[in-house]
Structures are given as C-alpha cells and as structure tokens.
Coordinates of all heavy atoms in Angstrom, one line a residue:
V286 N 0.9 -1.2 0.0 CA 0.0 0.0 0.0 C 0.9 1.2 0.0 O 1.8 1.4 0.8 CB -0.9 0.0 1.2 CG1 -1.7 1.3 1.3 CG2 -1.9 -1.2 1.2
D287 N 0.7 2.1 -1.0 CA 1.4 3.3 -1.1 C 0.9 4.5 -0.2 O 1.7 5.1 0.6 CB 1.4 3.9 -2.5 CG 1.9 2.8 -3.5 OD1 2.8 2.1 -3.2 OD2 1.5 2.8 -4.7
T288 N -0.4 4.7 -0.3 CA -1.0 5.8 0.4 C -2.4 5.4 0.7 O -3.0 4.6 0.0 CB -1.1 7.0 -0.5 OG1 0.1 7.3 -1.1 CG2 -1.6 8.3 0.3
A289 N -2.9 5.9 1.8 CA -4.4 5.6 2.2 C -5.1 6.8 2.6 O -4.5 7.8 3.1 CB -4.4 4.6 3.4
R290 N -6.4 6.9 2.4 CA -7.3 7.9 2.8 C -8.6 7.3 3.3 O -9.0 6.3 2.8 CB -7.6 8.8 1.6 CG -6.5 9.6 1.0 CD -6.6 11.0 1.3 NE -5.5 11.7 0.7 CZ -4.7 12.4 1.3 NH1 -4.7 12.6 2.6 NH2 -3.8 13.1 0.6
L291 N -9.2 8.0 4.3 CA -10.5 7.7 4.8 C -11.4 8.9 4.5 O -11.1 10.0 5.0 CB -10.4 7.4 6.3 CG -11.7 6.8 6.9 CD1 -12.0 5.4 6.2 CD2 -11.4 6.5 8.4
V292 N -12.5 8.7 3.8 CA -13.4 9.8 3.4 C -14.7 9.7 4.0 O -15.3 8.6 4.0 CB -13.5 9.8 1.8 CG1 -14.4 11.0 1.5 CG2 -12.2 9.9 1.2
K293 N -15.2 10.7 4.7 CA -16.5 10.7 5.4 C -17.6 11.0 4.3 O -17.6 12.0 3.6 CB -16.5 11.8 6.5 CG -17.9 12.0 7.1 CD -18.2 10.9 8.1 CE -19.4 11.3 9.0 NZ -20.5 10.4 8.8
L294 N -18.5 10.0 4.2 CA -19.7 10.2 3.3 C -20.8 10.6 4.2 O -20.6 11.1 5.3 CB -19.9 8.9 2.6 CG -18.7 8.3 1.8 CD1 -19.1 6.9 1.3 CD2 -18.3 9.2 0.7
S295 N -22.1 10.5 3.7 CA -23.2 10.9 4.5 C -23.5 9.9 5.5 O -23.1 8.7 5.4 CB -24.4 11.1 3.5 OG -24.8 9.9 2.9
G296 N -24.3 10.3 6.6 CA -24.7 9.4 7.7 C -23.5 8.8 8.3 O -22.5 9.6 8.7
D297 N -23.4 7.5 8.5 CA -22.3 6.8 9.2 C -21.5 6.0 8.3 O -20.8 5.1 8.7 CB -22.8 6.0 10.3 CG -23.5 4.7 9.9 OD1 -23.9 4.6 8.7 OD2 -23.6 3.7 10.6
R298 N -21.5 6.4 7.0 CA -20.7 5.7 6.0 C -19.3 6.4 5.7 O -19.2 7.6 5.7 CB -21.4 5.6 4.7 CG -22.6 4.7 4.8 CD -23.3 4.5 3.5 NE -24.4 3.6 3.6 CZ -24.9 2.9 2.6 NH1 -24.5 3.1 1.4 NH2 -25.9 2.1 2.8
L299 N -18.3 5.6 5.5 CA -17.0 6.0 5.2 C -16.5 5.3 3.9 O -17.0 4.2 3.6 CB -16.0 5.6 6.4 CG -16.4 6.2 7.7 CD1 -15.6 5.5 8.8 CD2 -16.2 7.7 7.8
L300 N -15.5 5.9 3.2 CA -14.9 5.3 2.1 C -13.4 5.2 2.4 O -12.8 6.2 2.6 CB -15.2 6.1 0.8 CG -14.6 5.6 -0.4 CD1 -15.3 4.3 -0.9 CD2 -14.6 6.6 -1.6
A301 N -12.9 3.9 2.5 CA -11.5 3.7 2.6 C -10.9 3.6 1.2 O -11.5 2.9 0.4 CB -11.2 2.5 3.4
M302 N -9.8 4.4 1.0 CA -9.1 4.3 -0.3 C -7.7 4.0 -0.1 O -7.1 4.6 0.8 CB -9.3 5.7 -1.0 CG -10.7 6.1 -1.3 SD -10.8 7.9 -1.9 CE -10.0 7.7 -3.5
W303 N -7.1 3.2 -0.9 CA -5.6 3.0 -0.8 C -5.0 2.7 -2.2 O -5.7 2.2 -3.0 CB -5.3 1.9 0.2 CG -5.8 0.5 -0.2 CD1 -5.2 -0.5 -0.8 CD2 -7.2 0.0 0.1 NE1 -6.0 -1.6 -0.9 CE2 -7.2 -1.3 -0.4 CE3 -8.3 0.6 0.7 CZ2 -8.4 -2.0 -0.4 CZ3 -9.5 -0.2 0.7 CH2 -9.5 -1.5 0.2
G304 N -3.8 3.2 -2.3 CA -3.1 3.0 -3.6 C -2.2 1.8 -3.5 O -1.5 1.5 -2.5
K305 N -2.3 0.9 -4.6 CA -1.5 -0.3 -4.7 C -1.2 -0.6 -6.1 O -2.2 -0.7 -6.9 CB -2.2 -1.4 -3.9 CG -1.4 -2.7 -3.8 CD -2.2 -3.7 -3.0 CE -1.5 -5.0 -3.0 NZ -2.3 -6.1 -2.3
D306 N 0.0 -0.8 -6.5 CA 0.4 -1.2 -7.8 C -0.2 -0.4 -8.9 O -0.7 -0.9 -9.9 CB 0.0 -2.6 -8.0 CG 0.6 -3.6 -7.1 OD1 1.7 -3.4 -6.7 OD2 -0.1 -4.7 -6.6
G307 N -0.3 0.9 -8.7 CA -0.7 1.9 -9.7 C -2.2 2.0 -9.8 O -2.7 2.6 -10.8
N308 N -3.0 1.4 -8.9 CA -4.5 1.4 -8.9 C -4.9 2.0 -7.7 O -4.2 2.0 -6.6 CB -5.0 0.0 -9.1 CG -4.5 -0.8 -10.4 OD1 -4.6 -0.2 -11.4 ND2 -3.9 -1.9 -10.1
V309 N -6.2 2.5 -7.6 CA -6.8 2.9 -6.4 C -7.8 1.9 -6.1 O -8.7 1.5 -6.8 CB -7.5 4.3 -6.6 CG1 -8.3 4.7 -5.4 CG2 -6.5 5.3 -6.9
H310 N -7.7 1.3 -4.8 CA -8.6 0.3 -4.3 C -9.5 1.1 -3.3 O -9.1 2.0 -2.7 CB -7.9 -0.8 -3.5 CG -7.0 -1.6 -4.4 ND1 -7.3 -2.9 -4.7 CD2 -5.8 -1.3 -5.0 CE1 -6.3 -3.4 -5.4 NE2 -5.4 -2.5 -5.7
Y311 N -10.8 0.7 -3.2 CA -11.7 1.4 -2.3 C -12.7 0.4 -1.7 O -13.0 -0.7 -2.3 CB -12.5 2.5 -3.0 CG -13.3 2.1 -4.2 CD1 -14.6 1.8 -4.0 CD2 -12.7 2.0 -5.4 CE1 -15.4 1.4 -5.1 CE2 -13.5 1.6 -6.5 CZ -14.8 1.3 -6.3 OH -15.6 0.9 -7.4
Q312 N -13.2 0.7 -0.5 CA -14.1 -0.1 0.2 C -15.1 0.7 1.0 O -14.6 1.6 1.8 CB -13.4 -1.0 1.2 CG -14.2 -1.9 2.1 CD -15.0 -3.0 1.3 OE1 -14.3 -3.8 0.6 NE2 -16.3 -3.0 1.4
L313 N -16.4 0.6 0.9 CA -17.3 1.3 1.7 C -17.3 0.6 3.1 O -17.3 -0.6 3.2 CB -18.7 1.2 1.1 CG -19.0 2.1 -0.1 CD1 -20.3 1.8 -0.7 CD2 -19.0 3.6 0.4
L314 N -17.4 1.4 4.1 CA -17.5 1.0 5.5 C -18.6 1.6 6.3 O -19.0 2.8 5.9 CB -16.2 1.3 6.2 CG -14.9 0.9 5.6 CD1 -13.7 1.5 6.3 CD2 -14.7 -0.6 5.6
N315 N -19.1 0.9 7.3 CA -20.1 1.6 8.2 C -19.4 2.4 9.2 O -18.1 2.3 9.3 CB -21.1 0.6 8.7 CG -20.6 -0.3 9.7 OD1 -19.5 -0.2 10.2 ND2 -21.4 -1.4 10.0
G316 N -20.0 3.0 10.1 CA -19.4 3.8 11.2 C -18.6 3.0 12.2 O -17.7 3.6 12.8
K317 N -18.8 1.7 12.2 CA -18.0 0.8 13.0 C -16.8 0.2 12.4 O -16.1 -0.6 12.9 CB -18.9 -0.2 13.7 CG -19.9 0.4 14.7 CD -20.8 -0.6 15.3 CE -21.7 0.0 16.2 NZ -22.5 -0.9 17.0
G318 N -16.7 0.5 11.1 CA -15.6 -0.1 10.3 C -15.9 -1.4 9.6 O -15.0 -1.9 9.0
A319 N -17.1 -1.8 9.7 CA -17.5 -3.1 9.0 C -17.6 -2.8 7.5 O -18.2 -1.8 7.1 CB -18.8 -3.6 9.6
K320 N -17.2 -3.8 6.7 CA -17.3 -3.6 5.2 C -18.7 -3.7 4.8 O -19.6 -4.4 5.2 CB -16.6 -4.8 4.6 CG -15.1 -4.8 4.8 CD -14.4 -6.0 4.1 CE -12.9 -6.0 4.3 NZ -12.3 -7.1 3.7
L321 N -19.0 -2.8 3.8 CA -20.4 -2.8 3.1 C -20.1 -3.1 1.7 O -19.5 -2.3 1.0 CB -21.0 -1.4 3.3 CG -21.3 -0.9 4.7 CD1 -21.7 0.5 4.6 CD2 -22.3 -1.8 5.4
G322 N -20.5 -4.3 1.2 CA -20.3 -4.6 -0.2 C -18.9 -5.1 -0.5 O -18.2 -5.5 0.4
Q323 N -18.5 -5.1 -1.8 CA -17.3 -5.7 -2.3 C -16.3 -4.5 -2.4 O -16.6 -3.4 -2.6 CB -17.5 -6.3 -3.6 CG -18.5 -7.4 -3.6 CD -17.9 -8.8 -3.3 OE1 -16.6 -9.0 -3.5 NE2 -18.6 -9.7 -2.7
E324 N -15.0 -4.9 -2.3 CA -13.9 -3.9 -2.6 C -13.9 -3.6 -4.1 O -14.2 -4.5 -4.9 CB -12.6 -4.6 -2.3 CG -11.4 -3.8 -2.6 CD -10.0 -4.5 -2.5 OE1 -9.9 -5.3 -1.5 OE2 -9.2 -4.3 -3.3
G325 N -13.7 -2.4 -4.4 CA -13.6 -2.0 -5.8 C -12.2 -1.5 -6.1 O -11.4 -1.2 -5.3
I326 N -11.9 -1.5 -7.5 CA -10.6 -1.0 -8.0 C -10.8 -0.1 -9.1 O -11.5 -0.4 -10.1 CB -9.8 -2.3 -8.4 CG1 -9.5 -3.2 -7.3 CG2 -8.4 -1.8 -9.0 CD1 -8.8 -4.5 -7.7
L327 N -10.1 1.0 -9.1 CA -10.0 1.9 -10.2 C -8.6 1.7 -10.9 O -7.6 2.1 -10.3 CB -10.1 3.4 -9.9 CG -11.5 3.8 -9.4 CD1 -11.5 5.3 -8.9 CD2 -12.5 3.7 -10.4
R328 N -8.6 1.1 -12.0 CA -7.3 0.7 -12.6 C -6.6 2.0 -13.2 O -7.3 2.8 -13.7 CB -7.6 -0.3 -13.7 CG -8.3 -1.6 -13.2 CD -7.6 -2.8 -13.5 NE -8.3 -4.0 -12.9 CZ -7.9 -4.6 -11.9 NH1 -6.8 -4.3 -11.3 NH2 -8.6 -5.7 -11.4
S329 N -5.3 2.0 -13.0 CA -4.5 3.1 -13.5 C -4.9 4.4 -13.0 O -4.9 5.4 -13.8 CB -4.4 3.0 -15.1 OG -3.9 1.8 -15.6
A330 N -5.4 4.5 -11.9 CA -5.8 5.8 -11.3 C -4.8 6.2 -10.2 O -4.2 5.4 -9.6 CB -7.2 5.6 -10.7
A331 N -4.7 7.5 -10.0 CA -3.8 8.0 -9.0 C -4.5 8.4 -7.8 O -5.6 8.9 -7.8 CB -3.1 9.3 -9.6
M332 N -3.9 8.2 -6.7 CA -4.5 8.5 -5.3 C -4.5 10.0 -5.2 O -3.8 10.8 -5.8 CB -3.6 7.9 -4.2 CG -3.8 6.5 -3.9 SD -5.5 6.2 -3.2 CE -5.4 6.9 -1.6
P333 N -5.5 10.5 -4.4 CA -5.7 11.9 -4.2 C -4.5 12.5 -3.5 O -3.9 11.9 -2.6 CB -6.9 12.1 -3.3 CG -7.3 10.7 -2.9 CD -6.5 9.7 -3.7
T334 N -4.1 13.7 -3.9 CA -2.9 14.4 -3.3 C -3.5 15.2 -2.1 O -2.6 15.5 -1.2 CB -2.3 15.3 -4.3 OG1 -3.2 16.2 -4.8 CG2 -1.6 14.6 -5.4
T335 N -4.8 15.5 -2.0 CA -5.4 16.1 -0.9 C -6.6 15.3 -0.5 O -7.0 14.4 -1.2 CB -5.7 17.6 -1.2 OG1 -6.7 17.6 -2.3 CG2 -4.5 18.4 -1.6
Q336 N -7.3 15.8 0.6 CA -8.6 15.1 0.9 C -9.6 15.3 -0.2 O -9.9 16.4 -0.7 CB -9.1 15.8 2.2 CG -10.3 15.0 2.8 CD -9.9 13.6 3.3 OE1 -8.8 13.2 3.5 NE2 -10.9 12.8 3.5
P337 N -10.3 14.2 -0.7 CA -11.2 14.2 -1.7 C -12.5 15.1 -1.3 O -12.8 15.1 -0.1 CB -11.6 12.8 -2.0 CG -10.4 12.0 -1.4 CD -9.9 12.9 -0.3
L338 N -13.2 15.6 -2.2 CA -14.5 16.3 -2.0 C -15.6 15.2 -2.2 O -15.5 14.4 -3.0 CB -14.7 17.3 -3.1 CG -13.7 18.5 -3.1 CD1 -14.0 19.4 -4.2 CD2 -13.8 19.2 -1.7
V339 N -16.7 15.4 -1.4 CA -17.9 14.6 -1.5 C -19.0 15.5 -2.0 O -19.4 16.4 -1.3 CB -18.2 13.9 -0.2 CG1 -19.4 13.0 -0.4 CG2 -17.0 13.0 0.3
L340 N -19.6 15.2 -3.1 CA -20.7 16.0 -3.7 C -22.0 15.6 -3.1 O -22.1 14.5 -2.4 CB -20.7 15.9 -5.2 CG -19.4 16.2 -6.0 CD1 -19.6 16.1 -7.4 CD2 -19.0 17.6 -5.6
E341 N -23.0 16.3 -3.2 CA -24.4 16.0 -2.6 C -24.9 14.7 -3.0 O -25.6 14.1 -2.2 CB -25.3 17.1 -3.0 CG -25.1 18.5 -2.3 CD -26.1 19.5 -2.7 OE1 -27.1 19.2 -3.3 OE2 -25.8 20.7 -2.4
D342 N -24.6 14.3 -4.2 CA -25.1 13.0 -4.6 C -24.2 11.7 -4.2 O -24.5 10.6 -4.6 CB -25.3 13.0 -6.2 CG -24.0 13.0 -7.0 OD1 -22.9 13.2 -6.3 OD2 -24.1 12.9 -8.2
G343 N -23.2 12.0 -3.4 CA -22.3 11.0 -2.9 C -21.1 10.7 -3.8 O -20.3 9.8 -3.5
T344 N -21.0 11.4 -4.9 CA -19.8 11.2 -5.7 C -18.6 11.8 -5.0 O -18.6 12.9 -4.5 CB -20.0 12.0 -7.1 OG1 -21.2 11.4 -7.7 CG2 -18.8 11.9 -8.0
V345 N -17.5 11.0 -5.1 CA -16.2 11.5 -4.5 C -15.3 11.9 -5.6 O -15.2 11.2 -6.6 CB -15.6 10.2 -3.7 CG1 -14.2 10.7 -3.1 CG2 -16.5 9.7 -2.6
C346 N -14.7 13.1 -5.5 CA -14.0 13.7 -6.6 C -12.6 14.1 -6.0 O -12.4 14.5 -4.8 CB -14.6 15.0 -7.1 SG -16.2 14.9 -7.7
W347 N -11.5 13.9 -6.8 CA -10.2 14.3 -6.3 C -9.3 14.5 -7.6 O -9.6 14.1 -8.7 CB -9.6 13.2 -5.4 CG -9.2 11.9 -6.1 CD1 -7.9 11.6 -6.6 CD2 -10.1 10.8 -6.3 NE1 -8.0 10.3 -7.1 CE2 -9.2 9.8 -6.9 CE3 -11.3 10.5 -6.0 CZ2 -9.7 8.5 -7.3 CZ3 -11.9 9.3 -6.3 CH2 -11.1 8.3 -7.0
I348 N -8.2 15.2 -7.3 CA -7.2 15.4 -8.3 C -6.0 14.4 -7.9 O -5.6 14.4 -6.7 CB -6.7 16.8 -8.3 CG1 -7.7 17.8 -8.7 CG2 -5.4 17.0 -9.2 CD1 -7.4 19.3 -8.6
G349 N -5.6 13.7 -8.9 CA -4.5 12.8 -8.7 C -3.4 13.1 -9.7 O -3.6 13.5 -10.8
V350 N -2.2 12.9 -9.3 CA -1.0 13.1 -10.1 C -0.4 11.8 -10.4 O 0.1 11.1 -9.6 CB 0.0 14.1 -9.4 CG1 1.2 14.3 -10.4 CG2 -0.7 15.4 -9.1
A351 N -0.4 11.4 -11.7 CA 0.1 10.1 -12.2 C 1.7 10.2 -12.2 O 2.2 11.2 -12.6 CB -0.4 9.8 -13.6
K352 N 2.3 9.2 -11.7 CA 3.7 9.1 -11.8 C 4.2 8.8 -13.2 O 3.6 8.1 -13.9 CB 4.2 8.0 -10.9 CG 4.0 8.2 -9.4 CD 4.5 7.0 -8.6 CE 4.1 7.2 -7.1 NZ 4.5 6.0 -6.4
P353 N 5.3 9.5 -13.6 CA 5.8 9.3 -15.0 C 6.2 7.8 -15.1 O 6.7 7.2 -14.2 CB 7.1 10.2 -15.0 CG 6.9 11.2 -14.0 CD 6.0 10.5 -12.9
Q354 N 5.9 7.2 -16.3 CA 6.2 5.8 -16.5 C 7.7 5.6 -17.0 O 8.3 4.7 -16.7 CB 5.3 5.2 -17.6 CG 3.8 5.2 -17.1 CD 3.6 4.4 -15.8 OE1 4.2 3.3 -15.7 NE2 2.9 4.9 -14.9
G355 N 8.2 6.6 -17.8 CA 9.5 6.6 -18.3 C 10.3 7.9 -18.0 O 9.7 8.9 -17.5
Y356 N 11.6 7.9 -18.3 CA 12.4 9.0 -18.0 C 11.9 10.3 -18.7 O 12.0 11.3 -18.1 CB 13.9 8.6 -18.4 CG 14.9 9.8 -18.3 CD1 15.2 10.1 -17.0 CD2 15.2 10.5 -19.4 CE1 16.2 11.2 -16.8 CE2 16.1 11.6 -19.2 CZ 16.6 12.0 -17.9 OH 17.4 13.0 -17.7
A357 N 11.5 10.2 -19.9 CA 11.1 11.4 -20.7 C 9.6 11.8 -20.4 O 9.2 12.8 -20.9 CB 11.3 11.1 -22.2
D358 N 8.9 11.0 -19.7 CA 7.5 11.3 -19.5 C 7.3 12.4 -18.5 O 8.1 12.6 -17.6 CB 6.7 10.1 -18.9 CG 6.6 8.9 -19.9 OD1 6.8 9.2 -21.1 OD2 6.3 7.8 -19.5
K359 N 6.3 13.2 -18.7 CA 6.0 14.3 -17.8 C 4.9 13.9 -16.8 O 4.1 13.0 -17.1 CB 5.5 15.5 -18.6 CG 6.5 16.1 -19.5 CD 6.0 17.3 -20.2 CE 7.1 17.9 -21.1 NZ 6.7 19.1 -21.8
T360 N 4.9 14.5 -15.7 CA 3.9 14.2 -14.7 C 2.6 14.8 -15.1 O 2.5 15.9 -15.7 CB 4.3 14.9 -13.3 OG1 5.5 14.4 -12.9 CG2 3.3 14.6 -12.3
R361 N 1.4 14.0 -15.0 CA 0.2 14.5 -15.4 C -0.9 14.5 -14.3 O -0.9 13.5 -13.6 CB -0.4 13.6 -16.6 CG 0.5 13.6 -17.8 CD 0.0 12.6 -18.9 NE 0.3 11.3 -18.4 CZ -0.5 10.3 -18.4 NH1 -1.8 10.4 -18.8 NH2 -0.2 9.1 -18.0
A362 N -1.6 15.5 -14.2 CA -2.6 15.6 -13.2 C -4.0 15.3 -13.9 O -4.2 15.6 -15.1 CB -2.7 16.9 -12.6
A363 N -4.9 14.6 -13.1 CA -6.2 14.2 -13.7 C -7.2 14.3 -12.6 O -6.9 14.3 -11.4 CB -6.2 12.8 -14.2
I364 N -8.5 14.6 -13.0 CA -9.6 14.6 -12.1 C -10.3 13.3 -12.1 O -10.6 12.8 -13.2 CB -10.6 15.8 -12.4 CG1 -9.8 17.1 -12.3 CG2 -11.8 15.8 -11.5 CD1 -10.7 18.3 -12.7
Y365 N -10.5 12.7 -11.0 CA -11.1 11.4 -10.9 C -12.5 11.6 -10.1 O -12.6 12.4 -9.3 CB -10.2 10.5 -10.1 CG -8.9 10.1 -10.8 CD1 -7.8 10.8 -10.5 CD2 -8.9 9.1 -11.7 CE1 -6.6 10.6 -11.1 CE2 -7.7 8.8 -12.5 CZ -6.5 9.6 -12.1 OH -5.4 9.3 -12.8
T366 N -13.5 10.7 -10.5 CA -14.7 10.7 -9.7 C -15.0 9.2 -9.5 O -14.7 8.3 -10.2 CB -15.9 11.3 -10.5 OG1 -16.0 10.6 -11.7 CG2 -15.5 12.8 -10.8
L367 N -15.7 9.0 -8.3 CA -16.2 7.7 -7.9 C -17.5 7.9 -7.3 O -17.7 8.6 -6.4 CB -15.1 7.1 -7.0 CG -15.5 5.8 -6.2 CD1 -15.7 4.7 -7.3 CD2 -14.5 5.5 -5.2
K368 N -18.5 7.1 -7.8 CA -19.9 7.1 -7.2 C -19.8 6.0 -6.1 O -19.8 4.9 -6.4 CB -20.8 6.8 -8.2 CG -22.3 6.8 -7.7 CD -22.7 8.2 -7.4 CE -24.2 8.2 -7.0 NZ -24.6 9.4 -6.3
A369 N -19.8 6.5 -4.9 CA -19.7 5.6 -3.7 C -21.1 5.2 -3.3 O -21.8 5.9 -2.5 CB -19.0 6.3 -2.6
E370 N -21.5 4.0 -3.7 CA -22.7 3.4 -3.3 C -22.6 1.9 -3.4 O -21.7 1.3 -4.0 CB -23.8 3.9 -4.3 CG -23.6 3.5 -5.7 CD -24.6 4.1 -6.7 OE1 -25.4 4.9 -6.2 OE2 -24.6 3.8 -7.9
L371 N -23.6 1.2 -2.8 CA -23.6 -0.2 -2.8 C -24.3 -0.7 -4.1 O -25.1 -0.1 -4.6 CB -24.4 -0.7 -1.6 CG -23.7 -0.6 -0.3 CD1 -24.6 -1.1 0.8 CD2 -22.4 -1.5 -0.2

C-alpha cells in the first residue's frame, strides 16, 4: 500500500481508499468499520494528493497526479470521480 485515505460520506458511511500497484482500491465501511459490499478497484488511477471532495449525490472527486512511466514522461494531473454506493 502506497497511500491511504479515509473519506467521510453521508450518515455513518466511510470510504476507505488506498493505492497499490498503480491502482486505487476502495471499500465502503459503516461507522464501526465493517465492510459494506465488495472492494472496488479503479485501474491506472492516481491517489488523491489532498482530501477528496464529496458532492451532494455521494460522488467522491479528487485530483490525482500520475507518476511518470519513463524517463522522458511528464507528470500528469487528472480529475477522478467515484460514485460511492452499494
């Protein structure tokens, strides 16, 4: 695991996010930390550099900076969104 974030959603729901092998893994949790549903993966996505925003409809948004793949590659920022629901 490279980086991890815990995002507060509405009610007693949380979204755990962690970066692993160039992907963003995520898991919905209840207020006691129990898993809700299955773990998800956003392939080739970058972890948020700051705390993600949660929109009114439950969408989680963040800016991620992709690591260069090769010596001549430039760093690229992208906006990611994730609809956090069961």
Side-chain angles (χ1 to χ4, degrees):
V286 173
D287 302 325
T288 312
R290 294 249 184 241
L291 191 59
V292 181
K293 173 77 168 116
L294 303 174
S295 64
D297 73 339
R298 291 187 178 196
L299 303 165
L300 180 69
M302 303 171 68
W303 62 98
K305 184 177 176 185
D306 302 324
N308 302 309
V309 173
H310 296 251
Y311 61 93
Q312 176 70 57
L313 282 171
L314 306 169
N315 68 16
K317 294 184 179 183
K320 293 179 182 180
L321 301 172
Q323 301 275 333
E324 174 186 323
I326 301 174
L327 291 175
R328 304 230 179 256
S329 301
M332 280 293 291
T334 55
T335 60
Q336 188 66 15
L338 298 174
V339 180
L340 305 180
E341 289 180 12
D342 67 353
T344 301
V345 179
C346 303
W347 70 94
I348 295 174
V350 179
K352 294 179 183 175
Q354 298 298 316
Y356 176 75
D358 292 344
K359 295 182 180 181
T360 303
R361 293 176 288 130
I364 297 174
Y365 296 94
T366 61
L367 171 64
K368 181 67 174 168
E370 61 186 3
L371 288 174

